[in-house]
Amino acid sequence: MPITWANLGVDLHLDQSGRRLRAGLEHALRDAIQSGQLHPGARLPSSRALALDLGIARNTVAEAYGQLVAEGWLAARQGSGTRVSDRPAASPVAPSRDLPDPTLVRYDLRPGRPDLAMFPRAAWLAAARRALTAAPYDALGYGDPRGRPELRSALAEYLSRVRGVRVTADRIVVCTGVVQALGLLFQVQRAGGRQRLAMEAYGLPDHRQVAVANGLRVRTLPVDAAGADVDGLSGVDTVLLTPAHQFPLGVPLSPDRRRRVVEWAVEGDRLIVEDDYDGEFRYDRQAVGAIQALAPEHVVYAGTASKALAPGLRLAWLALPSHLIEPMTEAKRLADGHSGTLDQLTLAELIVSGAYDRHVRRCRLAYQRRRDRLVAALGDRAPRARVTGIAAGLHALVELPDGRREQEVVAAAAGRRLAVEGLDEYRAAEQRHRPALVIGYATPPEHAFAAAVAQLCTVLEG
Amino acid sequence: MPITWANLGVDLHLDQSGRRLRAGLEHALRDAIQSGQLHPGARLPSSRALALDLGIARNTVAEAYGQLVAEGWLAARQGSGTRVSDRPAASPVAPSRDLPDPTLVRYDLRPGRPDLAMFPRAAWLAAARRALTAAPYDALGYGDPRGRPELRSALAEYLSRVRGVRVTADRIVVCTGVVQALGLLFQVQRAGGRQRLAMEAYGLPDHRQVAVANGLRVRTLPVDAAGADVDGLSGVDTVLLTPAHQFPLGVPLSPDRRRRVVEWAVEGDRLIVEDDYDGEFRYDRQAVGAIQALAPEHVVYAGTASKALAPGLRLAWLALPSHLIEPMTEAKRLADGHSGTLDQLTLAELIVSGAYDRHVRRCRLAYQRRRDRLVAALGDRAPRARVTGIAAGLHALVELPDGRREQEVVAAAAGRRLAVEGLDEYRAAEQRHRPALVIGYATPPEHAFAAAVAQLCTVLEG
């Protein structure tokens, strides 16, 4: 086999003089053209003349010229030698502004994130090793848009056991976060002429934005102590709910409303999207099972690894009614082929080995303790604030003492480098709940939790 | 701390009799309702009566009833006891058909995939361990939609060194495969009123489908031995090209056309999308640098890990002109937040440590050898077939002997359990190239390559 660039390679930096010289010459010429030292149309010395000047082989110069011609920097015309291309001067690459950094905060009680210090790095790496070592070759290729069968099977068993979901592996689509899952679902609904979506009056602004970006018309449902008011669903095709633990108000959907919304869906052949974002975390009793089990053909169940493991994994899943399997598979294929397989294989291994259950139990205990400490501290040191909602999830609604305004409290907290969010950040309708903070008690690392809660109490009583 | 479900957990299967009995009772009742044994409206025995019947504590029954009421299976009304809900009967979950499996093939010379047996599992796992061990907590949370800064920095250096791309980390967006990268770019172009896209007359059908799905109007450019004919761009806003190695024809875009398309873009403030899907694999000479370097403000450079590592990773990247950074960041955020961070951190570690370069060199050598073997075998045993295109990439265009038709050859190959693809699969316009196969010589594992090529020769001469 002849020696070529392929098996020697400039990136080896072998001291093969001709090659090094040629690369250096190319580099110098490119720089000179980019910087304007050599302007468009400028004529270069002949390869012979330049070779003599530089004391190098003529071939080296000729090859460098040839490369730059191929790249478009130079133009060679019969009879007129080699010139700098008349190509438009390349615009200088100005460093563009970085996106805003998160403000520097010392204590963080904003909701939406688990304690990232609890991510089981060692267990994850061990599972990744087992999974990748055992993975068939095809796991590394292009695959089923729904995701790896190993993960879909593991999830079907897990969701059935832990959340009562009635699902088989073929009905599961693994997505890059719930945001993508909802986006694809909204696309499919819109393509099917089902453009009218109802969402809870308090919820994640991102979900609303995704719905609007995908062309849906959004109506809001009032939310009260019994969850979303499902009486306002006439003329709606799809409703997005957080039945186990309303986000952010923290209440479950009442049994009566659960029944009624399922009736609404089945009778009119409509769709419920059940966002079960923190269904594994209930502390005072066994969690209420998924609504999906009541009507698997009319409910899309959405779950995620963002709360039990880490949002950075971007792993979420949908359990679909049968009529949505094909359109959702196609939507996912057109969106990105499928989600990355290595993390899917690792999560499957984690679930099947039992390590995921152990980790969830550990988190559940830790977050229950934090919630208890938060409630106790507020009771002692900020008794005019009131924690509402059920003992569940990773956040609590803390209603402000009478007369206090959210913005003022958030600003006072910021003055102490404590980041908190007012409930109003999540409001999407006229309805106004009384002023409150949405406290994410899972966010700080364990060592910072007590101090963060102390700051919160001070701010609330201040 | 009191003992609760959270810290004991049904999933521990502790032999705590009340809890086990209650779970068993709930399960039996759910099954009876789902199966129709207990029909809607049926009245259940009082908790006292059932407890006596079963010889268990009344509380256990009451709690099970309460759980099923909360889940909507039962309804409890003051004075009328506990009944099965009038909820609509849950539709039976029929197992839906699986998506079609790939046909069983023994020899696979279809294009688009690297040799998955070459994926560096050990190096990947070692890099994953280093990366995850060193990762800051925020790498596990929600992050910059453009992807992890570690990877964007590593890519900026790598792309500049290996492909001459002029880019800084802030201009890179990491996507879930080139399909997503193109989809988001098309969305942004369409939202900006730039709906007219030109594509090469031979190309990936998926890319075309993504363009159409995102609302673009697609025109095709004829392709000849000098690459895409860029004279047909009047009235076009965006052109998608494979300049280094046209897919599937295998020719590079000529220097003259490179210059002209860049002029077209800069003069009319239009956009070139440079799909550099296999730019790292050139065997006969140093690869032609990226067009992007000629006009960084008018070219989007798209690269991928699918050829050098594995498509299953779903890792691709765009180098953007400055005006597209903000809209693309926002489009990516709305699509899925960002791509999963763990594989990004691992790939960054692989690049920075030099392991990626070593792996690419190993692949380059292996694929060059395979191409040489393919060319030699065809020359010896199927001399009427002709390999065209440059010595690059992971595929070769093999023009059929005179008089042979693609479909007939593909069918003959299938009869020998050899999977090949005809060029016509990639045709998107009236223009017809002469009949050919697009041979992916990287696809089979090493041990199967010689036999696959032998089958191909037999089919071509048959």
Side-chain angles (χ1 to χ4, degrees), chain B residues 155-419:
Chain B
L155 284 172
E157 184 280 324
Y158 178 80
L159 295 174
S160 155
R161 172 165 55 83
V162 171
R163 301 294 297 126
V165 176
R166 296 168 66 196
V167 67
T168 46
D170 62 310
R171 288 169 173 258
I172 290 180
V173 177
V174 177
C175 290
T176 307
V178 169
V179 161
Q180 182 184 51
L182 293 181
L184 298 179
L185 196 57
F186 295 156
Q187 273 174 33
V188 165
Q189 288 292 87
R190 191 193 174 202
R194 293 174 289 276
Q195 287 176 279
R196 298 163 305 180
L197 174 73
M199 303 179 78
E200 295 163 330
Y202 281 90
L204 283 177
D206 280 1
H207 290 183
R208 189 184 177 83
Q209 218 182 337
V210 167
V212 172
N214 283 289
L216 297 196
R217 294 207 305 272
V218 180
R219 176 195 301 184
T220 52
L221 298 176
V223 185
D224 57 32
D229 179 354
V230 296
D231 283 338
L233 288 174
S234 73
V236 165
D237 306 301
T238 311
V239 61
L240 174 61
L241 297 171
T242 48
H245 190 218
Q246 206 280 333
F247 189 86
L249 298 186
V251 296
L253 191 64
S254 72
D256 181 54
R257 287 185 178 172
R258 283 169 66 99
R259 269 197 311 279
R260 275 191 291 142
V261 72
V262 167
E263 274 167 19
W264 164 86
V266 173
E267 281 166 13
D269 203 12
R270 301 179 192 103
L271 195 67
I272 299 168
V273 184
E274 176 174 26
D275 180 6
D276 196 43
Y277 64 101
D278 67 0
E280 287 143 325
F281 297 100
R282 175 108 190 212
Y283 312 125
D284 55 340
R285 50 167 290 175
Q286 187 181 349
V288 173
I291 276 192
Q292 188 268 1
L294 298 173
E297 288 295 345
H298 295 89
V299 180
V300 173
Y301 172 92
T304 175
S306 291
K307 300 296 180 282
L309 285 169
L313 288 176
R314 312 302 303 125
L315 279 174
W317 40 84
L318 296 179
L320 296 171
S322 52
H323 76 279
L324 286 175
I325 299 173
E326 209 164 306
M328 282 296 292
T329 303
E330 180 63 4
K332 177 66 177 161
R333 188 182 72 79
L334 280 175
D336 58 18
H338 52 85
S339 296
T341 49
L342 299 192
D343 288 346
Q344 292 187 53
L345 293 171
T346 302
L347 179 56
E349 170 65 27
L350 216 58
I351 294 174
V352 169
S353 70
Y356 188 75
D357 282 60
R358 286 192 296 276
H359 175 68
V360 169
R361 279 198 297 275
R362 202 156 42 232
C363 292
R364 199 187 285 139
L365 183 55
Y367 296 149
Q368 178 187 25
R369 281 187 177 139
R370 288 196 184 190
R371 192 178 191 282
D372 290 346
R373 286 162 69 189
L374 172 72
V375 171
L378 289 171
D380 280 353
R381 286 137 65 191
R384 293 178 307 137
R386 200 170 70 100
V387 179
T388 64
I390 56 176
L394 283 58
H395 78 277
L397 194 73
V398 178
E399 296 183 352
L400 300 184
D402 288 336
R404 300 291 298 275
R405 288 174 44 244
E406 283 179 20
Q407 284 185 328
E408 167 249 317
V409 172
V410 171
R416 296 178 166 270
R417 297 174 66 193
L418 167 66

